[in-house]
Amino acid sequence: MQRRRTTDDPHIGLVGQDGRGARYGSLGETAIEIPQPSDPALDQKSRDNVFSDGCTRIDFVLVWETVPREASRQQDSRENGDVQERSAAIHRTWRKKFLDELHTAGIHMEKHMTRVEKKVVHYLLLSAPWSVLCYYAEELQLRVPLQALPRQTSNWSAGVLRQLGIPNLMAQEVPNLPLDYYTCPFKANKLRWFLGSDEQDTFFSTTQRHQILYKILATTQYGHSRDRQVGVDRLLSENVFTAAFPLHEARPCRPPVTHPPASPAPASPSPTPCLSPQGPYKVRPEELAGGSLSPRQVLFQYWASWWKWSKYQPLDHIRKYFGEKVAFYFAWLGFYTGWLLPAAVVGMVVFLTGIFLMSNDVPSQEVCGSEEKYWMCPLCKTCPYWQLSKICSTFMTGRLFDHGGTIFFSIFMSLWAVLFLEFWKRTNASLAHRWDCSEFEDIEEQPRPQFTAMAPMTIINPITGAEEPYFPKSKRIHRILAGLMVIIMMIAMVVMFLVSVILYRAVVAILLSSSGYFWFVASASRIASITGSVVNLILILILSKIYISLAHFLTKWEMHRTQTKYEDAFTFKVFIFQFVAFYSSPVYIAFFKGKFVGYPGNYRSFLGVRNEECSPGGCFIELAQELLVIMVGKQIINNVQEVAIPKLKCWWHKHKLLSSKKPGKEGESVLVEQAPWVMDHQLLVFEGLFDEYLEMVLQFGFITIFVAACPLAPLFALLNNWVEIRLDAHKFICDYRRPVAERAQGIGIWFSILEAITHLAVISNAFLIAFTSDFLPRVYYGYAHDSSLRGYVNFTLAYAPWDFVLQSNTTCRYRAFRDRDGNLTLTYWQLLAIRLGFIIAFEHVVFFTGRVIAWLVPDIPESVEVKVKRERYLAKEALAENKVLLERREARSKASVTDPAAGRDWETEQLASS
């Protein structure tokens, strides 16, 4: 281990000899201001993702804005103007140092400018030359092709339908299917071994070129590293640059149709055939017929289109365009949505069974026909007595979710979750092998560029043997513990808000019950519960925004080495908070509400407010309401946000940028045809997949942890996810700037979270059925008293204690297993023993069955294991053959130089001697 030394990049010597034209000059603020090309041919080239020379590829774009001094003096007062001028001077200095470093590193640059209202927008196009690409490709261990392979795409549902002989309506033919290759990490000294190494412009894929440029931008210093003046991300946060992004793929250009002119052609340039009023990604009919589609157009036509909602996702195309990390998210989302279909069907059957049982349920008939037979005790001190028959509709509605099918569905969903995760492991392994990232996290993943720039020392990697930046573990642990204290404080705030919502419900229920209006009195508990759920949802959404920003700061401060570890740490922090925030209210209703109420004359209170009781229909129906409000309400809000907010942001951004004008031929104002970098600048910044994963994993928790209370939850999740896939696809293609492609080995820590939720769901459903549902008391009554359940309602109601009756001169009933003195009866203790026994039996049966399933289903398919062994064998053979060929070539070349007989014609000599 040694202290980090600041040295020049070793590749500078490699790339320093690259020839540059006039446009690759010094990067001073004045020197790099290159005017827009005026030649029509150059105008045509600027519409493609190339420099004005027509051949240099654009790998990245940096954008910044400046305000002319005349405009700034007119806008601001003198004092504010001086402050802004000093800030602008600092930004110019940092920007010049940063761009000078990029120039020194050999990056090719070209600058364009547009005027937007009173600002000037600068677009700096960046391109990495061949030598820089080779150097960083070896450092990043980018995988390059050795040999092409036949593409073997398959889908589990396609295989099942094929075996059953059923036509597969979900299949579709997607053009330009990416080829599959044997690959290995790039080595510059073995360049000639790789496929396509003679084509320097296309040897590295577009996404690999983006990765290399981002690596350079993220590690370039523009000041002192101790002040964290490193990388483009810091400059973006300081508004030195307003954007940094790679370009989306351009629309393929059609060759212009030439006709003999009838008259002399005008001098003005003709419109470019590459642009379309439909946008850079929508497909013209002639393009679809001819098959000349760009990768972005293919994804828009066959993935983001709403008409493709029932088709398979083109995962290989997604991976090629956006990288493995994005492709794994959509692969998991599609897999999860497909597995929701059987869960939704079974849940619907259970719900319909509840409807049938509701009309023939004896206890429900007793409640509805009791009239004045059961007078219930007041719900508060000033509340009146009420008749049990008044809750007839609520009691019958509760029967929809609380019946014998609930037990079956809870066991089914627990085993469904285990099967889902086991088969996703297999799918993940197959995709990781197909996409050459099976060993990414263990061997290939490089340190984060931000970590590389900020780490104080270096260490030898025990696996690769390479020297890498290092941050001491003891310091990281101290920082993690400090962050943990902040997390605990934020969770405590969530609990405080939960207590406030509980008090809100109690106060609202008391106020409505004592209002004197019959409808309010009868629905007091329900109104308080629903409005409390809405208030709870609003508080959760507000706290989430604050906490996510705090979690970002803490995770950066902890200095995690790789991007995977960084994202896992951030995900864990935020998910713990979100879990407590979203699940605290349902957990309270399911397991605590109504359990510590007391009895008439001895009610318990919290902070001076009487503890909440379950509504007359029971806590099960309240839990179902809570789940529908939070789960469905959150999904609706998220989908509206995902549709409306990106569109509004894009509209506003385009409204500002589309005001750029240039003088026409006779001085009139003409709208500038937009270059690709201008159009992509109008799009939204891609902020990662965390929010997408979080939404789906929270949904997974709702349909597993509390599924006993709402069998329709999988159906709502299925409908939402069908919409979610196309919404997310449309955002990535149409609304977001193209993200830098990232490699990944799977869905990361989210899989571990899903496993934890699956185990928690078994425990939760066992307690839910045992203590919240009426299933076990009904079974107990049917076995011990009457199998037809006649008299069950009277069995569950206790008489008010004598003290309360003498005080109020009225006898009333309440729901409990107590005697006339308020003591718990033998029935209560017998039921408690039955409930605890049920929990133990339920958990053991489900966990044992899940273990057997996990044992029977291997994590890696046998076909993938065979392919891995086969590829390793072929790779060894290929290396051995290449080594032999190289040795033979070297021997021949050596012999041609040293052997005096090397130039003799042996055939001629033999004939002569004979």
Side-chain angles (χ1 to χ4, degrees):
M1 187 184 303
Q2 58 185 0
R3 287 285 172 187
R4 188 80 180 280
R5 293 175 297 180
T6 56
T7 58
D8 294 335
D9 278 345
H11 77 277
I12 292 176
L14 276 173
V15 299
Q17 305 303 322
D18 286 332
R20 300 177 178 85
R23 66 182 183 282
Y24 302 131
S26 171
L27 290 179
E29 283 293 310
T30 56
I32 60 176
E33 291 187 0
I34 301 173
Q36 297 241 3
S38 58
D39 187 2
L42 294 183
D43 254 346
Q44 167 66 34
K45 295 297 183 183
S46 71
R47 303 302 186 261
D48 301 328
N49 292 355
V50 292
F51 282 15
S52 299
D53 60 4
C55 59
T56 305
R57 294 180 60 177
I58 301 172
D59 297 322
F60 229 86
V61 180
L62 294 177
V63 185
W64 70 92
E65 298 176 356
T66 56
V67 179
R69 293 185 178 180
E70 299 79 8
S72 62
R73 288 173 183 171
Q74 294 175 2
Q75 287 179 354
D76 303 313
S77 63
R78 181 175 181 180
E79 185 176 347
N80 292 336
D82 292 341
V83 173
Q84 290 192 357
E85 182 61 31
R86 285 195 297 270
S87 176
I90 295 173
H91 287 184
R92 282 195 298 270
T93 302
W94 286 352
R95 192 160 49 238
K96 183 180 185 307
K97 289 181 179 179
F98 185 78
L99 298 181
D100 283 344
E101 290 294 328
L102 293 181
H103 179 260
T104 305
I107 303 299
H108 294 178
M109 304 179 184
E110 178 176 289
K111 187 178 177 188
H112 296 259
M113 293 186 297
T114 59
R115 193 174 186 91
V116 180
E117 295 180 350
K118 297 183 179 180
K119 293 183 179 180
V120 177
V121 182
H122 306 256
Y123 297 94
L124 187 65
L125 315 182
L126 306 179
S127 179
W130 173 250
S131 54
V132 175
L133 292 173
C134 290
Y135 174 83
Y136 277 99
E138 187 166 348
E139 181 178 317
L140 293 173
Q141 297 187 16
L142 298 181
R143 300 187 71 90
V144 288
L146 283 171
Q147 181 182 352
L149 295 172
R151 169 66 71 184
Q152 297 179 354
T153 58
S154 61
N155 201 295
W156 65 271
S157 57
V160 172
L161 294 174
R162 192 183 308 113
Q163 291 180 356
L164 296 176
I166 300 175
N168 190 359
L169 301 178
M170 296 178 287
Q172 63 173 338
E173 291 293 332
V174 183
N176 305 334
L177 187 67
L179 294 175
D180 195 9
Y181 299 97
Y182 285 133
T183 63
C184 72
F186 176 79
K187 294 289 184 183
N189 57 359
K190 297 178 175 60
L191 178 63
R192 53 186 171 175
W193 292 5
F194 300 120
L195 197 64
S197 58
D198 53 338
E199 297 291 337
Q200 295 185 0
D201 285 341
T202 58
F203 177 68
F204 294 107
S205 67
T206 304
T207 53
Q208 288 176 333
R209 296 174 71 101
H210 297 168
Q211 290 172 339
I212 291 171
L213 258 294
Y214 180 73
K215 168 75 173 180
I216 297 172
L217 293 173
T219 55
T220 299
Q221 293 190 14
Y222 59 92
H224 298 290
S225 59
R226 63 176 180 272
D227 296 330
R228 299 179 181 268
Q229 295 178 344
V230 179
V232 70
D233 292 329
R234 174 70 187 274
L235 292 174
L236 288 171
S237 65
E238 297 284 351
N239 291 323
V240 178
F241 293 110
T242 57
F245 54 89
L247 292 177
H248 278 288
E249 296 289 342
R251 177 190 293 272
C253 292
R254 294 176 297 163
V257 180
T258 56
H259 299 284
S263 60
S268 59
S270 59
T272 172
C274 294
L275 294 179
S276 167
Q278 294 178 320
Y281 48 82
K282 294 187 178 180
V283 182
R284 304 186 189 98
E286 60 270 21
E287 289 175 333
L288 189 60
S292 59
L293 301 179
S294 70
R296 191 181 184 190
Q297 289 177 309
V298 170
L299 289 174
F300 177 81
Q301 181 71 18
Y302 294 93
W303 180 45
S305 172
W306 289 102
W307 298 106
K308 303 295 182 180
W309 66 271
S310 62
K311 302 297 183 182
Y312 292 133
Q313 299 182 86
L315 294 178
D316 291 313
H317 293 76
I318 299 170
R319 177 244 179 173
K320 182 180 179 181
Y321 195 78
F322 291 110
E324 286 80 4
K325 182 170 287 188
V326 173
F328 266 116
Y329 164 71
F330 282 102
W332 175 83
L333 181 57
F335 186 84
Y336 170 50
T337 303
W339 271 72
L340 279 174
L341 184 58
V345 171
V346 176
M348 192 67 185
V349 170
V350 172
F351 181 75
L352 294 176
T353 303
I355 295 177
F356 173 76
L357 294 176
M358 180 179 66
S359 59
N360 300 318
D361 184 47
V362 173
S364 299
Q365 295 172 358
E366 289 184 351
V367 170
C368 295
S370 61
E371 297 182 354
E372 299 184 2
K373 181 178 179 181
Y374 300 113
W375 282 93
M376 307 301 290
C377 296
L379 298 175
C380 62
K381 291 182 179 179
T382 58
C383 298
Y385 294 87
W386 55 283
Q387 298 175 15
L388 185 62
S389 58
K390 299 298 184 183
I391 63 162
C392 172
S393 58
T394 306
F395 193 88
M396 294 186 68
T397 304
R399 189 63 176 150
L400 286 173
F401 307 102
D402 189 3
H403 53 83
T406 300
I407 308 296
F408 164 75
F409 194 53
S410 298
I411 297 175
F412 172 82
M413 287 304 296
S414 299
L415 298 180
W416 172 89
V418 173
L419 276 171
F420 163 69
L421 294 180
E422 288 300 321
F423 277 93
W424 168 249
K425 283 183 188 177
R426 294 168 59 84
T427 303
N428 190 100
S430 299
L431 291 175
H433 171 260
R434 196 165 94 199
W435 294 340
D436 289 323
C437 50
S438 299
E439 300 176 341
F440 172 70
E441 293 180 10
D442 297 330
I443 298 177
E444 300 176 22
E445 188 170 17
Q446 300 296 305
R448 295 172 60 237
Q450 296 84 351
F451 178 83
T452 302
M454 301 304 302
M457 56 187 66
T458 59
I459 194 174
I460 301 299
N461 188 311
I463 298 177
T464 63
E467 185 177 354
E468 291 184 352
Y470 177 75
F471 188 81
K473 289 185 178 178
S474 57
K475 291 185 179 180
R476 182 180 294 118
I477 291 174
H478 292 159
R479 294 186 177 189
I480 291 174
L481 291 176
L484 185 61
M485 297 300 104
V486 178
I487 294 173
I488 293 174
M489 290 176 57
M490 291 297 296
I491 292 176
M493 286 184 60
V494 174
V495 174
M496 290 171 57
F497 279 109
L498 173 64
V499 172
S500 65
V501 172
I502 293 172
L503 295 176
Y504 164 84
R505 285 174 176 159
V507 171
V508 169
I510 292 172
L511 293 176
L512 293 177
S513 298
S514 58
S515 62
Y517 294 98
F518 172 76
W519 188 83
F520 283 151
V521 173
S523 307
S525 225
R526 192 183 318 143
I527 295 173
S529 177
I530 294 175
T531 56
S533 300
V534 174
V535 171
N536 183 52
L537 178 61
I538 294 173
L539 292 175
I540 287 171
L541 295 176
I542 294 173
L543 282 176
S544 298
K545 298 294 183 183
I546 300 172
Y547 182 79
I548 288 175
S549 301
L550 183 60
H552 269 299
F553 171 78
L554 291 174
T555 310
K556 290 178 182 177
W557 183 55
E558 290 168 1
M559 289 290 289
H560 293 279
R561 175 182 170 272
T562 63
Q563 186 67 21
T564 299
K565 291 182 178 179
Y566 172 87
E567 291 181 356
D568 288 352
F570 173 76
T571 299
F572 178 76
K573 288 184 184 68
V574 179
F575 181 77
I576 290 295
F577 173 82
Q578 297 281 9
F579 183 87
V580 175
F582 277 99
Y583 294 134
S584 56
S585 185
V587 166
Y588 164 74
I589 294 174
F591 305 118
F592 298 100
K593 186 176 182 180
K595 304 298 189 297
F596 310 100
V597 177
Y599 53 90
N602 189 25
Y603 287 115
R604 298 175 185 175
S605 62
F606 178 73
L607 298 179
V609 178
R610 177 180 158 183
N611 290 351
E612 273 191 297
E613 289 188 59
C614 293
S615 64
C619 280
F620 224 64
I621 184 64
E622 280 194 57
L623 181 59
Q625 291 175 353
E626 182 80 5
L627 290 178
L628 291 176
V629 168
I630 294 181
M631 179 183 168
V632 180
K634 185 177 184 298
Q635 289 178 351
I636 293 174
I637 292 174
N638 285 341
N639 288 335
V640 171
Q641 287 178 339
E642 289 180 8
V643 172
I645 293 180
K647 296 299 181 186
L648 290 175
K649 286 183 177 179
C650 284
W651 175 83
W652 177 247
H653 203 178
K654 288 179 181 179
H655 175 72
K656 293 192 299 182
L657 295 178
L658 281 175
S659 60
S660 56
K661 297 179 182 290
K662 65 179 180 181
K665 185 175 179 181
E666 299 180 359
E668 71 275 10
S669 183
V670 180
L671 187 67
V672 177
E673 282 195 68
Q674 292 182 325
W677 47 88
V678 178
M679 289 190 292
D680 283 11
H681 184 219
Q682 297 168 5
L683 303 178
L684 302 180
V685 179
F686 172 68
E687 297 179 349
L689 292 167
F690 174 80
D691 289 335
E692 316 297 339
Y693 271 119
L694 180 64
E695 179 184 356
M696 292 296 104
V697 172
L698 288 174
Q699 180 198 91
F700 181 83
F702 281 121
I703 69 168
T704 53
I705 295 177
F706 304 106
V707 73
C710 189
L712 290 178
L715 176 62
F716 289 124
L718 176 65
L719 297 176
N720 173 80
N721 290 4
W722 268 337
V723 176
E724 183 75 22
I725 290 176
R726 304 305 158 184
L727 275 180
D728 288 346
H730 192 274
K731 286 191 303 183
F732 273 84
I733 295 298
C734 308
D735 298 333
Y736 285 158
R737 296 171 190 161
R738 188 174 184 177
V740 178
E742 295 182 63
R743 287 175 61 77
Q745 196 170 327
I747 61 175
I749 197 175
W750 292 109
F751 183 81
S752 300
I753 292 174
L754 290 172
E755 283 188 315
I757 290 176
T758 300
H759 287 84
L760 185 61
V762 177
I763 301 172
S764 171
N765 283 306
F767 276 88
L768 197 61
I769 295 169
F771 287 98
T772 308
S773 169
D774 274 346
F775 174 76
L776 291 181
R778 285 173 179 250
V779 172
Y780 172 81
Y781 183 82
Y783 177 79
H785 297 86
D786 188 349
S787 59
S788 66
L789 297 183
R790 297 194 180 278
Y792 174 75
V793 174
N794 184 65
F795 168 74
T796 59
L797 298 178
Y799 285 93
W802 293 114
D803 296 340
F804 183 81
V805 173
L806 293 174
Q807 183 180 356
S808 58
N809 294 324
T810 306
T811 300
C812 60
R813 310 290 293 272
Y814 65 103
R815 188 165 182 172
F817 294 103
R818 294 178 181 270
D819 58 22
R820 297 301 294 263
D821 296 323
N823 300 318
L824 296 171
T825 63
L826 179 62
T827 302
Y828 171 84
W829 297 109
Q830 290 175 341
L831 272 174
L832 180 61
I834 293 172
R835 285 167 168 158
L836 295 177
F838 172 82
I839 290 172
I840 295 172
F842 183 92
E843 290 178 356
H844 279 68
V845 169
V846 175
F847 280 133
F848 175 76
T849 310
R851 293 281 180 162
V852 171
I853 292 172
W855 177 70
L856 292 175
V857 180
D859 294 346
I860 301 176
E862 184 179 356
S863 59
V864 173
E865 291 182 343
V866 172
K867 287 180 182 178
V868 170
K869 293 176 182 178
R870 174 68 176 166
E871 288 182 9
R872 287 177 180 172
Y873 171 75
L874 292 176
K876 288 180 180 179
E877 278 199 337
L879 289 173
E881 289 176 3
N882 286 334
K883 185 177 180 181
V884 171
L885 289 174
L886 285 175
E887 288 176 351
R888 288 178 180 176
R889 288 178 184 174
E890 290 175 357
R892 288 173 184 170
S893 61
K894 194 173 183 181
S896 64
V897 175
T898 59
D899 189 356
R904 295 169 65 177
D905 189 347
W906 296 101
E907 293 294 328
T908 306
E909 288 189 6
Q910 281 184 353
L911 287 172
S913 62
S914 62

